[in-house]
Amino acid sequence: MFKKVLVALDLLDFNDVVFERALALAVAMDAELMLVHALVGDREGGPTLPTATSWNYSVAMGPVAMGGAVGDLGDRVWAAYQNEWQKYAQRERALLNQYAQQAIAAGVAAELTQSVQLPGRLICEVAHSWGADTVVG
């Protein structure tokens, strides 16, 4: 009998199917759900990390026409990336929250965790620390 079901979601393809199966299992077993998502920047919908080429180009260009120093361009590129990363993390968290609300509406206790980490490692760590009886993914 399962009392704790961990659901690994990548928030891309097949999430609805994976979630529905996990929710059905939790309802049938009167179990709790833990929704787990690893933030990975190099995936569809994620921000693109500035490359070394873009950094080197900005340093070689000399003063920026808008009055800033060359280093300012690199700083602006990095700040833009960090801003995009925050938006990405918030979008992904909102999707997790929607799944959690669906579970709660079905009478299933649900928690969620989202972290910047390799998916396999995150799933194993959360499964162990939370005491998951099974993993659906």
Side-chain angles (χ1 to χ4, degrees):
M1 194 123 156
F2 302 128
K3 288 296 175 189
K4 291 187 167 191
V5 178
L6 186 147
V7 188
L9 299 167
D10 67 3
L11 303 180
L12 291 174
D13 301 325
F14 308 113
N15 281 303
D16 289 339
V17 173
V18 170
F19 175 75
E20 291 299 327
R21 287 182 180 171
L23 182 59
L25 179 62
V27 168
M29 297 285 177
D30 193 30
E32 302 172 52
L33 287 180
M34 171 63 78
L35 309 174
V36 177
H37 174 58
L39 288 170
V40 181
D42 63 348
R43 60 177 279 221
E44 182 181 327
T48 302
L49 185 65
T51 63
T53 305
S54 65
W55 291 90
N56 292 339
Y57 178 75
S58 68
V59 170
M61 287 299 294
V64 176
M66 298 194 318
V70 174
D72 291 345
L73 180 57
D75 291 343
R76 288 194 307 267
V77 168
W78 186 248
Y81 170 74
Q82 290 177 318
N83 185 45
E84 287 304 310
W85 182 267
Q86 290 300 321
K87 289 178 185 176
Y88 163 65
Q90 290 169 356
R91 275 193 319 269
E92 302 291 284
R93 184 85 176 186
L95 290 171
L96 278 181
N97 281 328
Q98 287 176 5
Y99 284 119
Q101 291 305 314
Q102 287 178 37
I104 292 166
V108 174
E111 299 177 54
L112 57 95
T113 187
Q114 174 174 281
S115 179
V116 179
Q117 199 171 133
L118 293 173
R121 178 178 217 141
L122 178 62
I123 292 164
C124 289
E125 287 178 1
V126 174
H128 177 74
S129 66
W130 187 62
D133 296 313
T134 192
V135 176
V136 178

